Amino acid sequence: MNFVSNLFSSPKPPPAPDYTGAAQAQGAANVETARLEGRMNRPDIYSPYDQTVVTDLGDDRFRMDYSLTPEYESQRQKQAAIGGQYLDVAGQRLGELPSGEFNLGALPTFQGAVDTTGFTPLASTDDLTDYANRSEKAYFDRGFSRIQPGQQMEKTALHTDLINSGLPVGSTAYNDAMSRLEMTHADQLSGLAQSAIAEGQRMRQGLAGEAQSMRQSQLAEASMIREMQNQARAQSLADTLLQRRLPMEELATLTGSPSIGSAGMGVATTGLNTPGISVAPPPIFAATQAEGQAANNRYATNMQGYGARMNAIGNIASAFSDKILKENIVKVGKSPSGLNIYEWNYLWSPERFRGVIAQEVQKVKPQAVLSNIFGYLMVDYNKLDVNMEKI
């Protein structure tokens, strides 16, 4: 009993992680790490081209004084003059850019779903049934026209032989012989009817397959045409976008200043390939998140298992027909065969069900009751005139 109860008991959710405390600790660690990294990455820089001097102002504030050597300061001023000329040209070209709304109306129409208006209509079920019936009748009529003369000749010959043998019409021997012949003839006609039915179904399937093949061919051709039209539209759209983008790219090029080299551009250099120092803060909050996520994942997995077990009640309800697994049992009627019908809920769930009690069925219809691996009685409702229902 404890096993069944535990099987359907809901898992308990894990306690919520202390995200507030973790966030506060992570924030403090981030601030201290940022301060440390900032101090380590603010050295005074000197090179043959320029120099940068850092002054600590306190309260996490710094001042960086940057200056060029006289020769590179002269180059900077020349570059600024050239950049101004570039911007003047760019201002003239700005008025030449397309300013209207981008219109897709001139493009070919996008083809969506395939238009099946002109397709060959598929045969309806009534059409196929009528065609099969006509084929079946034609097949039977042809066979009957060949079989009937022979049967008539056999019947006449047997009549003559019986009369010549001294067996008068109406005698027991005469009637038995004629009955056996008529049974043989009936079997022949029955076989012909079965063959006619098979022929009708074969013709029906052939007609349906031929119509379906025609529809598939039409659909493939229409799909290919649609794809070609959409490809043409995509190419036209690409060409239109290129014509609109080229002058904008030219303007973007003009607004960029020409470079005179890595030095003298407002970036301090030392001439040395010295990498910056990076310090990572301890992942306090990430660790707390990972721990909480792991706990939630375990809880979600347990809940999935619990949901699967609860859904299993509807699929294997016959495994829970034992009276000792039920409570609040109320008799609500009888089946046509006289079985008592009850309503109840299981020990582990408030949901109500309607059906039979295995112990009672075992007394009147033992072939419908068996025991599972846990020793509880099960009922095969397929052998009863009662259905297991959730109410």
Side-chain angles (χ1 to χ4, degrees):
M1 185 67 66
N2 289 335
F3 171 79
V4 176
S5 298
N6 293 334
L7 185 67
F8 290 92
S9 61
S10 175
K12 296 182 179 179
D18 183 13
Y19 287 121
T20 301
Q24 292 173 350
Q26 185 68 68
N30 290 347
V31 170
E32 186 58 33
T33 301
R35 287 172 175 167
L36 174 62
E37 188 174 275
R39 290 193 297 270
M40 297 176 68
N41 284 283
R42 292 190 184 96
D44 293 342
I45 302 173
Y46 298 90
S47 79
Y49 315 104
D50 51 24
Q51 66 180 13
T52 301
V53 178
V54 181
T55 303
D56 189 347
L57 301 178
D59 296 329
D60 297 323
R61 296 182 302 117
F62 296 86
R63 186 182 73 201
M64 301 180 67
D65 296 311
Y66 174 74
S67 61
L68 294 172
T69 59
E71 58 270 28
Y72 279 97
E73 175 61 23
S74 175
Q75 292 185 22
R76 187 193 65 79
Q77 294 176 2
K78 292 178 181 179
Q79 180 189 9
I82 294 174
Q85 295 176 4
Y86 266 72
L87 292 176
D88 290 341
V89 176
Q92 296 174 3
R93 296 299 306 274
L94 183 61
E96 301 174 7
L97 291 178
S99 59
E101 181 182 356
F102 188 62
N103 185 11
L104 299 177
L107 297 177
T109 303
F110 178 79
Q111 302 298 319
V114 175
D115 183 11
T116 61
T117 302
F119 282 17
T120 301
L122 294 174
S124 66
T125 301
D126 292 341
D127 294 337
L128 293 174
T129 301
D130 180 67
Y131 181 70
N133 291 338
R134 288 188 285 107
S135 300
E136 177 183 335
K137 184 177 184 304
Y139 186 93
F140 184 85
D141 290 343
R142 289 194 302 270
F144 185 76
S145 64
R146 292 192 296 267
I147 293 176
Q148 187 182 32
Q151 289 183 342
Q152 187 61 41
M153 291 177 62
E154 290 177 355
K155 187 174 183 179
T156 301
L158 178 60
H159 171 78
T160 301
D161 291 342
L162 293 173
I163 294 300
N164 292 337
S165 298
L167 299 176
V169 175
S171 64
T172 300
Y174 179 91
N175 290 339
D176 289 344
M178 293 301 291
S179 294
R180 287 193 294 273
L181 180 61
E182 288 175 355
M183 292 176 61
T184 300
H185 289 171
D187 290 342
Q188 291 176 347
L189 293 178
S190 177
L192 176 61
Q194 293 297 325
S195 298
I197 293 173
E199 176 66 12
Q201 292 303 313
R202 187 184 68 81
M203 295 298 290
R204 174 195 177 105
Q205 294 173 358
L207 179 61
E210 185 176 323
Q212 187 66 33
S213 177
M214 175 65 73
R215 173 59 64 91
Q216 291 176 350
S217 298
Q218 292 174 326
L219 181 60
E221 182 179 358
S223 297
M224 181 182 65
I225 294 174
R226 180 193 62 176
E227 185 64 23
M228 293 174 62
Q229 291 174 339
N230 287 339
Q231 288 179 358
R233 183 182 189 274
Q235 184 60 48
S236 178
L237 176 60
D239 293 343
T240 302
L241 290 174
L242 178 62
Q243 294 174 2
R244 187 180 182 90
R245 188 176 67 246
L246 284 177
M248 296 182 181
E249 292 179 351
E250 183 179 353
L251 178 63
T253 301
L254 289 172
T255 55
S257 300
S259 174
I260 63 170
S262 60
M265 291 296 294
V267 178
T269 63
T270 62
L272 301 176
N273 186 19
T274 304
I277 299 174
S278 177
V279 180
I284 301 173
F285 189 75
T288 303
Q289 284 183 314
E291 181 180 2
Q293 185 61 47
N296 287 333
N297 289 341
R298 289 193 299 270
Y299 176 64
T301 300
N302 292 336
M303 286 301 296
Q304 288 176 356
Y306 173 71
R309 293 194 300 271
M310 293 305 294
N311 288 335
I313 292 178
N315 297 326
I316 57 171
S318 61
F320 300 98
S321 294
D322 199 304
K323 183 176 182 179
I324 66 175
L325 299 178
K326 303 172 182 178
E327 63 181 0
N328 301 322
I329 302 173
V330 178
K331 182 178 177 181
V332 295
K334 281 182 175 292
S335 73
S337 65
L339 294 174
N340 292 329
I341 301 176
Y342 298 91
E343 292 181 359
W344 69 87
N345 63 276
Y346 291 106
L347 301 180
W348 56 84
S349 172
E351 293 182 305
R352 300 287 290 174
F353 294 85
R354 181 182 293 122
V356 297
I357 299 297
Q359 281 80 353
E360 292 186 359
V361 177
Q362 190 176 39
K363 296 177 181 180
V364 297
K365 201 165 188 177
Q367 65 271 24
V369 180
L370 64 158
S371 177
N372 62 18
I373 60 174
F374 305 111
Y376 299 117
L377 296 182
M378 302 185 300
V379 172
D380 184 356
Y381 278 89
N382 293 324
K383 296 180 179 180
L384 306 179
D385 59 346
V386 179
N387 291 327
M388 173 72 174
E389 299 176 327
K390 181 179 178 181
I391 59 175

